[in-house]
């Protein structure tokens, strides 16, 4: 604001600071007004004019704020006159009050929701929503987006479950081609091992590994990694057990791709005289029970109340419904003393592991009269793998479970286990395993859901000797944040979980630890388009 005095001092012009508008012109009559009066008048005007501008602005905004100009002036000007310029605290409190009110009320019927934030802003400008309507729209949009994200997450989990349960085309091709080779190529049918090496299959001075699988590619990686990591590969004997449909292909692979100096034996379940219905009645019941088959092979969503289920709980339930859990190959480990009556000590391996270090020191571990040397899984920090107790596997609302088990007892892992078969034969582990399987069947699977580990946790209770965790690193099929340095240091890495390294859903940064043992130059691998990732 500027004051301009005329040269004669008979007029004074008050103008805006930019000089475009003359706001007030005062003519001074020398006879009727003194300079003292003039000076005081100018001071009063200079003080009042800024408030005139403020009042004008408030009147202009009167329609937007829907309040009288005097009311707006009082609310907006009052705090400033009193020195309280910042009224954001009151605005926040008012907004919280509106949000709380909206949270307890029903969303109005017919409320049309915008599809994006930009559309919401545009509609607010156009329709001039009040605060409560805006809060309702915000709540409805958030709830809509939460439902869509939740539905997408469940759909993702279902798709991942189907991917994990299916057989990749390349692996299926490999099995078919090798089976065909078995029927047409005499070299693919040659005896394994050769006749002169048969006595070594029961020689306890050798290191005996047992692998039960119907995945030829996975078996080849386990064997190759064990032999290449061993300081004494000539002391290795592998006993590979598979099912009848895979036997010819599995035999062909190891007959055509020997891993000398290690010794390989391939046997089908149908070739074990001991495996009769009389000896394994519970497993026959598991495989043939219609309710059990529907549970593992049926619709996994029908009847499920997804609104009360978290994605993590749903993922665990899907994992528990993997069809592999009713396969006899998955239960065979409980019969090792009978299947290998001449062996004293063996290491049992799952087919989703990779061996990165010489395992011969495992045979030197003193199990102290225990049967099972295993890594405990209750002393880690991650929630998925290494923080498991009995309460994570069993339903302790079931009276039989609550009576006989401790929910805080530490769990242990399958996948790489040292079994003292001599000590095992002196126990009733197999009978205990059968008893609890029968009880769970009677209870319609209400005692536990997940596979073969829960009954084994009970059967081996008191017979487990903990071994150092560096021997067996778990969780590579669950956690994509697995520490790479820990992976490199572990003797055995285990891709337990859905994200197997031979599946497209496997974790890319963890897959190379597995693929380095796949022979991509092999004709069968190339012809089935099992490509290096």
């Amino acid at each position: 604001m500027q004051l301009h005095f005329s040269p004669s001092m008979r007029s004074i012009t008050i103008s805006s600071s930019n000089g475009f508008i003359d706001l007030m012109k005062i003519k001074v009559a020398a006879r009727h007004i003194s300079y003292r009066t003039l000076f005081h008048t100018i001071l009063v005007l200079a003080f009042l004019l800024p408030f005139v501008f403020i009042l004008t602005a408030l009147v202009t905004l009167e329609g937007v704020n829907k309040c009288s100009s005097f009311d707006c002036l009082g609310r907006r000007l009052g705090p400033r006159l009193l020195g309280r310029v910042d009224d954001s605290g009151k605005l926040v409190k008012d907004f919280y009050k509106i949000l709380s009110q909206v949270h307890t009320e029903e969303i109005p019927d017919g409320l049309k929701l915008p599809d994006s934030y930009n559309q919401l802003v545009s509609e607010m400008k156009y329709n001039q929503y009040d605060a409560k309507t805006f809060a309702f729209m915000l709540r409805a949009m958030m709830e809509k987006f939460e439902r869509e994200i939740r539905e997408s997450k469940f759909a993702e989990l279902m798709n991942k479950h189907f991917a994990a349960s299916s057989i990749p085309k390349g692996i299926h091709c490999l099995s078919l081609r090798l089976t065909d080779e078995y029927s047409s190529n005499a070299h693919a049918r040659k005896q394994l091992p050769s006749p002169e090496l048969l006595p070594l299959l029961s020689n306890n001075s050798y290191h005996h590994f047992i692998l039960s699988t119907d995945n030829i590619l996975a078996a080849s990686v386990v064997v190759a990694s064990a032999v290449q990591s061993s300081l004494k590969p000539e002391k290795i004997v592998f006993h590979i057990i598979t099912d009848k449909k895979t036997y010819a292909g599995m035999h062909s692979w190891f007959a055509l791709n020997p891993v000398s100096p290690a010794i390989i034996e391939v046997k089908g379940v149908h070739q074990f005289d001991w495996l009769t219905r009389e000896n394994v009645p519970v497993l026959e019941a598991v495989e043939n029970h219609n309710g059990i088959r529907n549970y593992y092979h049926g619709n996994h969503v029908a009847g499920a109340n997804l609104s009360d289920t978290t994605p993590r709980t749903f993922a665990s339930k899907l994992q528990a419904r993997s069809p592999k859990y009713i396969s006899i190959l998955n239960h065979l480990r409980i019969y090792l003393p009978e299947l290998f009556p001449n062996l004293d000590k063996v290491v049992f391996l799952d087919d989703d592991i990779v061996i990165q270090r010489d395992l011969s020191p495992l045979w030197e571990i003193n199990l102290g009269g225990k049967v099972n040397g295993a890594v405990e899984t209750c002393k880690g920090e991650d929630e998925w793998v290494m923080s498991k107790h009995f309460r994570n596997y069993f339903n302790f609302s079931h009276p039989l479970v609550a009576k006989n088990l401790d929910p805080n007892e530490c769990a242990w892992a399958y996948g790489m286990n040292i079994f003292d078969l001599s000590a095992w034969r002196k126990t009733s582990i197999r009978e205990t395993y059968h008893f609890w399987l029968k009880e769970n069947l009677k209870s319609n699977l209400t005692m536990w859901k997940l596979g073969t580990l829960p009954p084994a946790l009970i059967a081996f209770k008191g017979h487990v000797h903990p071994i150092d965790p560096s021997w067996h690193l778990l969780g590579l099929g669950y956690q994509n944040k697995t520490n790479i340095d820990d992976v490199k240091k572990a003797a055995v890495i285990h891709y337990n979980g859905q994200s197997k390294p031979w599946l497209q859903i496997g974790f890319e940064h963890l897959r190379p630890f597995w693929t380095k043992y796949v022979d991509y130059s092999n004709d069968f691998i190339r012809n089935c388009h099992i490509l290096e990732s």
Side-chain angles (χ1 to χ4, degrees):
M1 181 179 296
Q2 297 177 346
L3 301 177
H4 299 280
F5 295 85
S6 67
S8 63
M9 298 295 290
R10 290 183 179 275
S11 68
I12 302 171
T13 302
I14 304 174
S15 63
S16 64
S17 59
N18 55 24
F20 290 117
I21 304 173
D22 290 341
L23 298 176
M24 188 175 294
K25 182 178 284 187
I26 304 172
K27 291 185 177 180
V28 180
R31 296 179 182 180
H32 300 290
I33 185 168
S34 68
Y35 284 110
R36 182 186 296 274
T37 303
L38 175 63
F39 179 72
H40 287 149
T41 302
I42 292 171
L43 286 179
V44 171
L45 290 173
F47 179 77
L48 291 178
L49 282 175
F51 293 96
V52 173
F53 283 111
I54 293 174
L55 180 60
T56 303
L58 290 172
V59 171
T60 303
L61 295 173
E62 184 181 65
V64 176
N65 291 281
K66 298 181 179 179
C67 61
S68 71
S69 59
F70 292 104
D71 178 49
C72 291
L73 183 62
R75 285 191 288 106
R76 295 176 182 270
L77 228 57
R80 288 169 172 76
L81 290 174
L82 296 174
R84 299 194 297 270
V85 177
D86 185 7
D87 60 353
S88 60
K90 184 178 184 304
L91 292 175
V92 171
K93 290 180 180 179
D94 290 343
F95 192 59
Y96 283 160
K97 184 177 180 180
I98 293 172
L99 288 177
S100 299
Q101 181 182 356
V102 167
H103 180 68
T104 59
E105 296 181 10
E106 293 292 331
I107 297 176
D109 294 334
L111 185 65
K112 185 178 180 181
L113 299 180
D115 295 324
S116 65
Y117 172 77
N118 289 336
Q119 186 179 347
L120 174 63
V121 173
S122 299
E123 291 187 8
M124 285 190 64
K125 289 180 179 178
Y126 180 78
N127 297 314
Q128 297 185 4
Y129 294 131
D130 58 25
K132 188 172 182 180
T133 303
F134 168 73
F136 268 125
M137 295 192 71
L138 192 63
R139 174 190 164 190
M141 288 181 66
M142 291 293 294
E143 290 181 356
K144 174 188 174 185
F145 293 149
E146 285 176 357
R147 285 194 302 270
E148 291 176 352
I149 291 172
R150 185 180 177 84
E151 290 170 1
S152 298
K153 185 63 179 177
F154 283 122
E156 176 192 353
L157 292 172
M158 281 299 302
N159 292 335
K160 190 172 183 179
H161 172 70
F162 292 138
S165 302
S166 62
I167 301 174
K169 183 169 64 174
I171 292 180
H172 183 60
C173 165
L174 183 66
S175 180
L176 291 178
R177 285 178 176 267
L178 287 168
T179 300
D180 181 67
E181 194 72 12
Y182 184 84
S183 63
S184 61
N185 185 345
H187 292 289
R189 297 192 301 271
K190 71 178 181 181
Q191 185 175 349
L192 290 178
S194 56
E196 65 274 12
L197 298 177
L198 287 177
L200 300 181
L201 296 179
S202 56
N203 187 329
N204 283 294
S205 66
Y206 281 71
H207 300 149
H208 294 267
F209 294 92
I210 300 175
L211 175 64
S212 177
T213 179
D214 60 355
N215 188 329
I216 299 171
L217 184 65
S220 72
V221 168
V222 173
V223 173
S225 64
V227 174
Q228 294 179 35
S229 302
S230 177
L231 298 178
K232 299 178 180 179
E234 69 279 359
K235 299 290 289 184
I236 290 179
V237 178
F238 259 96
H239 305 267
I240 299 174
I241 308 173
T242 190
D243 55 20
K244 192 172 184 177
K245 66 177 175 59
T246 313
Y247 170 75
M250 188 77 73
H251 187 105
S252 293
W253 175 267
F254 287 103
L256 299 174
N257 301 279
V259 286
S260 299
I263 299 168
I264 306 293
E265 176 191 32
V266 178
K267 291 190 74 171
V269 172
H270 58 289
Q271 295 173 319
F272 286 94
D273 295 334
W274 188 86
L275 289 176
T276 62
R277 291 190 178 185
E278 291 73 22
N279 289 328
V280 288
V282 177
L283 296 187
E284 284 290 326
V286 168
E287 286 194 311
N288 294 324
H289 192 285
N290 287 332
I292 304 302
R293 295 195 64 81
N294 288 335
Y295 176 80
Y296 285 101
H297 293 283
N299 188 335
H300 298 339
V301 179
N305 187 0
L306 298 184
S307 62
D308 294 334
T309 304
T310 65
R312 179 174 175 177
T313 301
F314 185 64
S316 298
K317 289 181 178 179
L318 288 178
Q319 175 71 8
R321 288 187 165 200
S322 174
K324 72 176 184 179
Y325 292 126
I326 59 172
S327 167
I328 193 171
L329 288 175
N330 209 38
H331 290 267
L332 276 183
R333 67 195 85 196
I334 204 67
Y335 305 114
L336 293 182
E338 290 77 25
L339 299 181
F340 299 94
N342 298 317
L343 296 182
D344 296 334
K345 202 172 192 179
V346 301
V347 169
F348 189 91
L349 302 171
D350 280 356
D351 64 0
D352 53 355
I353 62 100
V354 172
I355 298 169
Q356 303 186 126
R357 208 166 71 211
D358 178 43
L359 297 186
S360 57
L362 291 176
W363 275 263
E364 300 171 7
I365 294 177
N366 183 1
L367 298 182
K370 305 293 186 181
V371 172
N372 180 5
V375 168
E376 292 183 319
T377 55
C378 65
K379 298 178 180 178
E381 297 179 356
D382 67 278
E383 297 180 359
W384 279 105
V385 180
M386 297 301 291
S387 57
K388 301 294 187 182
H389 296 78
F390 274 32
R391 62 176 174 269
N392 299 109
Y393 295 97
F394 298 100
N395 173 21
F396 276 87
S397 65
H398 193 287
L400 192 61
V401 172
K403 179 181 178 181
N404 292 278
L405 303 179
D406 177 6
N408 296 315
E409 187 164 344
C410 187
W412 47 268
Y414 265 149
M416 196 282 291
N417 303 83
I418 315 160
F419 288 126
D420 186 337
L421 301 186
S422 297
W424 189 339
R425 295 183 183 101
K426 300 174 184 177
T427 70
S428 58
I429 289 174
R430 174 165 59 93
E431 290 75 17
T432 304
Y433 188 88
H434 281 175
F435 170 81
W436 283 92
L437 271 181
K438 290 178 180 177
E439 291 300 319
N440 196 34
L441 286 174
K442 290 178 184 177
S443 71
N444 198 27
L445 300 182
T446 58
M447 296 167 68
W448 71 80
K449 298 291 187 185
L450 182 61
T452 55
L453 183 57
L457 291 175
I458 304 174
F460 284 101
K461 198 168 177 290
H463 299 289
V464 177
H465 175 81
I467 63 174
D468 192 281
S470 66
W471 283 110
H472 185 190
L473 178 66
L474 296 112
L476 276 70
Y478 281 119
Q479 309 174 112
N480 62 351
K481 296 181 180 180
T482 302
N483 187 288
I484 296 298
D485 290 334
D486 291 340
V487 174
K488 293 177 180 178
K489 295 175 184 176
V492 172
I493 55 175
H494 193 173
Y495 292 84
N496 59 312
Q498 291 181 321
S499 300
K500 304 299 185 189
W502 56 81
L503 299 175
Q504 290 186 348
I505 60 174
F507 301 124
E508 292 293 335
H509 65 296
L510 298 176
R511 185 178 285 127
F513 293 95
W514 186 84
T515 56
K516 66 185 289 188
Y517 295 105
V518 177
D519 183 7
Y520 289 100
S521 64
N522 183 277
D523 288 340
F524 291 98
I525 298 290
R526 287 191 292 106
N527 291 334
C528 287
H529 305 289
I530 299 175
L531 302 178
E532 187 171 7
S533 58

